[in-house]
Amino acid sequence: MTVVSALLAACSGGMSVGGGSPSLADANSKYGFRTAPQDAGGAITVWVDSSRLPAAKAFEKAHPDVKVKIVSYDGGANGSNTFKTKSHLYDRAGSGWPDVAFTTDNNAASWGSLSGTGALAPLNKGLVPSSTLDGFATGALAPCTVDGTAYCLRNDLAQNVLWYNKSLMDKWGYEVPTTWEQYEQLADRVAAEHPGYIVGTAGDAWTPEIYMWGSQCPANQVTAAKSVTVNTSDPTCLRAAKLIDRLIANRTMSTLPLFGPEFAKEQGGKVLMLPGPSWYGGSVFQGALRTPGGQITVGAPLHWRDQNPPVTGSVGGGAWWISSHSKNLTAAVRFATWVTTHASFDGKPAPTYPAHSAAATQWLSAQQAGGYYAQDIAPPLVAAAGQVWPGWGSAEFSQEALWAKSVQAGMVRGESVESLLPAWQKAIEQEAQVLGYRVRTP
Amino acid sequence: MARFRWLRPGHLFVSGYVVLLALFGVVPVAYSFVLALTDPAGGFAGVSNFTRTARDYRFLAACGHVALYLVIWLVSLTVLVVVLALLVHRVTFNATRTFVRFAYYVPGALAGASSVLLWLFMLDPTVSPVSLLLHWTGNEHFSDVISPDHLPVLFAVIAFWTGAGGWILVLYGALNSIPAELMEAARVDGAGPVRRAWSVQLPMIRKWVAYMAILSLAAGTQLFVEPELISQASFGVVPNDYSLNQLAYQYAFSQNDFNGSAAISIDLLIVTLLCAGLFVWRGRLFETE
């Protein structure tokens, strides 16, 4: 077990937070926390979003011996924080927690592990076998690891890569860029030679997770359970901001939300490149934009020339959480393990890149067999999975919400991202302080 | 039986209301007071929850947003509803009057979150039936329309559209209760339509206007659904702490700080009660003839 803990701590790198004190820690328990009285035959309640519903139903079908009550909810979409909101209510009421919950917010460990809440079960203290935990990709459990204790089984990874339209790139004779500098130069050419085509988007709240995170901008360095370092004036933030501003100015970067109706209508057919997470392939190109098959493929994530080794950012990736209050932990663990270690459910592939390595390999094979992509997308995605910069943390507050209200709101008024960096800094500082974080600034 | 001699039928009529008021009005408010004056451990905290929340960087901004919205909405609601009620009342052709009353009332049938959802489509130039109007006013995209500077006016428009119709009918009924002889006497004395409205009708429906202002004020200070839905639809560009109610919600469910949340709610209650008291006093709501 010590080995597992050490491994997880090592995997977590800078993203793991330290110093938290799990309120339910119990050295005498075989799971490392105080458990509720167990009922091996009792039903478990699982909360899933609509995308994870097929997985839950497939588990139910494959395990008729386990009673499962499936509850659909928003899963944290649009930063709704529903899991957190409801958990706080259940904490006050003393009952009502689900046994297992899926969220797209990766910040649950930051609130669910602290004294006073403690609703989440530590998983690497004996509850989930180390053989299972070791099967997840390097760093996959880092966002939900607090002081060496892992609180989630990661559902999917969301490593950023470069999605591009191979047909157009070949037709126009463009070379696929590998650095942000080459990407910027190519954007200038596209602006001049093929006006109307875009090479990226900055209209969504996850923009900083692509450009700022990938540039190693120290805006969100969570250094302890309640401590964060914020420096948006760092040259790494500045270069990413200037890049966005330049591309917005030459109209090769869209400022519309990717999933809004306007983007699909006005720019959906004019996407040459799109730096973004692994889930763009299915959700954006196949789903929202309905780009015809045989055109889209993946390139290695872009990096700045001076970055050695190259790093990338990440946009989302959900996780499964088990409640420490569960009265049937065995069934809860069976469920969470099953849905995270499978690449397909009832014949349909998982919607996103599985965080479990073996499942990811199967998933990539299935994607390729589907014939949608112009070439093999596996090598860059697998490489990118291990390149996510660990200096961007999972704090209790949402970076996406702060970017939206401080930077995106300013962009709507026509202000440049570079000029909005101080506003972003202030927004992060203020929000962190409200939530009791100690904020270190330059 | 003598002991119950004081019991009147009137008591029976109000009993249900009193029970519900106690359960869902008085008890929650009392509980909020307790929460606002205590710390998470239940110890007495004095006014620290009030001062702490008032120093929150979002508090003054949220106060400003709600205040601006209330001023725009209450003024426009009062003026437009009174004018429209007077106009409907002057329509002599009965079928027209019935049709206009019905038309005013219809939007009120679509209240709350559903009306905001409808407006989200109306305000999106891509799908709006009035997209030309939106383009003419310089709004190319949804994000331009729902820019934070436009929100007080947009919320006022949404609230007016859903709520004004019912009030027009209430004031129309109040205008009907003015004796015809009185209006006739004013007309014989040489008062024109404007003078009759200003000097006779308005003073006589003043209580109803005050009543409308109080209920609208109470609803307006609780601004929540509109900014919350627009926040979601704008992918967060409109913050989820735009209004005081949203801020209280953030305190309770995002920060797990129910004491701070209760303090903000009590702030709102006090301000609303003071304003409502002013309207009652100026509108002479409880005066009997």
Side-chain angles (χ1 to χ4, degrees):
Chain A
M1 195 38 56
T2 315
V3 175
V4 174
S5 301
L7 185 70
L8 282 167
C11 289
S12 61
M15 282 169 77
S16 171
V17 293
S21 54
S23 60
L24 299 175
D26 183 355
N28 297 322
S29 160
K30 62 176 177 175
Y31 300 141
F33 66 98
R34 207 166 47 247
T35 54
Q38 295 295 295
D39 170 14
I44 55 166
T45 302
V46 299
W47 284 5
V48 293
D49 67 345
S50 56
S51 300
R52 257 48 61 168
L53 191 59
K57 285 187 170 168
F59 173 86
E60 201 177 18
K61 196 171 162 189
H63 299 80
D65 56 317
V66 182
K67 290 179 205 150
V68 184
K69 186 183 168 199
I70 300 169
V71 177
S72 287
Y73 86 120
D74 64 1
N78 291 337
S80 65
N81 270 331
T82 308
F83 181 41
K84 183 182 182 183
T85 302
K86 299 259 184 181
S87 292
H88 285 160
L89 279 176
Y90 298 147
D91 285 346
R92 288 183 75 81
S95 64
W97 304 276
D99 297 86
V100 186
F102 171 85
T103 62
T104 52
D105 302 318
N106 278 326
N107 61 10
S110 64
W111 56 264
S113 63
L114 294 176
S115 298
T117 51
L120 302 177
L123 304 186
N124 63 333
K125 303 291 180 189
L127 188 61
V128 177
S130 55
S131 55
T132 306
L133 295 169
D134 292 346
F136 285 85
T138 306
L141 304 184
C144 58
T145 301
V146 178
D147 207 17
T149 303
Y151 290 91
C152 80
L153 293 186
R154 190 86 179 271
N155 182 76
D156 53 318
L157 297 183
Q159 69 277 35
N160 291 339
V161 287
L162 179 67
W163 292 94
Y164 65 92
N165 188 317
K166 187 173 183 302
S167 311
L168 285 177
M169 293 287 276
D170 290 347
K171 185 176 158 192
W172 295 340
Y174 291 153
E175 207 168 302
V176 180
T178 56
T179 65
W180 289 108
E181 286 90 347
Q182 291 170 357
Y183 168 78
E184 190 172 17
Q185 285 168 4
L186 183 55
D188 286 341
R189 280 186 67 189
V190 172
E193 296 167 8
H194 302 284
Y197 280 84
I198 59 164
V199 301
T201 60
D204 294 285
W206 58 77
T207 299
E209 292 164 354
I210 298 173
Y211 301 97
M212 296 294 173
W213 189 336
S215 181
Q216 292 180 273
C217 165
N220 189 32
Q221 290 187 304
V222 182
T223 52
K226 283 286 185 181
S227 193
V228 63
T229 298
V230 188
N231 180 12
T232 66
S233 59
D234 191 89
T236 53
C237 310
L238 207 58
R239 67 183 177 188
K242 282 177 184 284
L243 171 75
I244 296 171
D245 287 336
R246 184 183 174 115
L247 268 55
I248 289 174
N250 72 17
R251 296 182 180 275
T252 55
M253 180 166 283
S254 172
T255 53
L256 298 173
L258 259 183
F259 293 103
E262 290 169 296
F263 183 85
K265 188 176 168 189
E266 294 177 18
Q267 291 168 324
K270 298 204 160 186
V271 178
L272 179 64
M273 294 187 281
L274 214 56
S278 52
W279 49 263
Y280 270 8
S283 299
V284 176
F285 291 105
Q286 277 185 285
L289 306 183
R290 303 196 182 282
T291 309
Q295 296 186 4
I296 301 298
T297 192
V298 177
L302 296 169
H303 64 275
W304 291 90
R305 228 168 11 214
D306 61 1
Q307 286 175 328
N308 189 22
V311 297
T312 190
S314 172
V315 183
W320 295 90
W321 311 83
I322 295 176
S323 171
S324 60
H325 305 281
S326 173
K327 289 176 182 163
N328 191 351
L329 284 165
T330 308
V333 170
R334 274 182 82 187
F335 178 89
T337 304
W338 196 84
V339 292
T340 49
T341 54
H342 279 70
S344 64
F345 304 99
D346 254 354
K348 288 180 189 161
T352 44
Y353 186 102
H356 191 269
S357 300
T361 306
Q362 291 169 22
W363 185 83
L364 285 165
S365 301
Q367 295 294 312
Q368 213 44 48
Y372 177 74
Y373 297 106
Q375 62 185 37
D376 190 2
I377 60 169
L381 280 168
V382 171
Q387 291 178 359
V388 175
W389 181 52
W392 191 279
S394 294
E396 206 171 325
F397 49 85
S398 159
Q399 273 292 346
E400 293 184 358
L402 292 173
W403 176 271
K405 77 174 177 184
S406 57
V407 182
Q408 252 179 288
M411 287 165 70
V412 171
R413 294 191 298 266
E415 295 167 42
S416 70
V417 176
E418 185 184 351
S419 71
L420 290 163
L421 289 178
W424 186 35
Q425 167 88 22
K426 196 175 171 192
I428 303 170
E429 283 179 32
Q430 288 176 322
E431 188 74 10
Q433 280 159 358
V434 160
L435 288 163
Y437 276 78
R438 199 165 56 83
V439 182
R440 277 184 53 199
T441 53
Chain B
M1 286 305 287
R3 277 189 301 166
F4 297 105
R5 199 173 297 157
W6 53 270
L7 204 59
R8 299 276 187 278
H11 290 119
L12 192 66
F13 280 121
V14 297
S15 61
Y17 173 78
V18 170
V19 169
L20 291 174
L21 178 69
L23 281 179
F24 301 109
V26 177
V27 171
V29 166
Y31 183 54
S32 297
F33 264 108
V34 172
L35 280 179
L37 296 172
T38 52
D39 58 30
F44 183 66
V47 293
S48 64
N49 288 320
F50 292 93
T51 50
R52 183 168 54 85
T53 48
R55 279 202 301 266
D56 187 311
Y57 76 100
R58 299 165 292 184
F59 184 81
L60 278 181
C63 285
H65 296 151
V66 175
L68 186 59
Y69 157 68
L70 275 177
V71 168
I72 294 172
W73 181 42
L74 286 184
V75 170
S76 59
L77 180 80
T78 308
V79 172
L80 289 172
V81 162
V82 169
V83 169
L84 289 172
L86 287 167
L87 287 177
V88 178
H89 196 251
R90 275 197 58 80
V91 173
T92 45
F93 188 51
N94 208 27
T96 311
R97 191 153 59 185
T98 307
F99 172 77
V100 172
R101 272 177 3 219
F102 177 72
Y104 282 150
Y105 190 69
V106 165
L110 195 71
S114 49
S115 71
V116 185
L117 288 175
L118 177 77
W119 274 92
L120 289 179
F121 286 101
M122 291 287 285
L123 298 173
D124 187 337
T126 320
V127 290
S128 175
V130 291
S131 55
L132 272 181
L133 188 67
L134 293 171
H135 286 304
W136 283 340
T137 48
N139 299 295
E140 289 299 316
H141 302 294
F142 183 57
S143 53
D144 301 329
V145 181
I146 56 157
S147 133
D149 304 339
H150 299 170
L151 292 181
V153 173
L154 289 183
F155 293 154
V157 170
I158 295 171
F160 182 86
W161 185 75
T162 50
W167 287 116
I168 291 171
L169 293 194
V170 169
L171 293 196
Y172 174 81
L175 288 169
N176 275 344
S177 70
I178 299 173
E181 301 81 18
L182 194 65
M183 297 304 294
E184 181 62 17
R187 200 183 61 78
V188 170
D189 284 347
V194 175
R195 183 61 192 261
R196 286 203 300 276
W198 187 256
S199 301
V200 180
Q201 290 172 303
L202 267 183
M204 297 197 76
I205 61 168
R206 176 157 60 182
K207 283 180 188 177
W208 297 101
V209 175
Y211 178 61
M212 172 178 76
I214 290 168
L215 289 194
S216 303
L217 174 81
T221 51
Q222 294 171 46
L223 184 67
F224 183 84
V225 174
E226 291 86 346
E228 190 70 16
L229 285 179
I230 287 188
S231 174
Q232 299 253 329
S234 70
F235 301 101
V237 171
V238 174
N240 59 8
D241 45 30
Y242 181 86
S243 75
L244 280 170
N245 243 1
Q246 283 181 295
L247 185 56
Y249 183 85
Q250 290 297 317
Y251 260 85
F253 301 119
S254 185
Q255 295 166 225
N256 200 17
D257 183 351
F258 287 83
N259 305 92
S261 176
I264 296 172
S265 306
I266 297 297
D267 288 340
L268 265 176
L269 178 72
I270 291 170
V271 171
T272 310
L273 283 178
L274 286 175
C275 292
L278 182 72
F279 289 158
V280 168
W281 172 52
R282 296 297 296 169
R284 298 176 200 163
L285 200 63
F286 295 139
E287 271 184 16
T288 49
E289 304 299 329

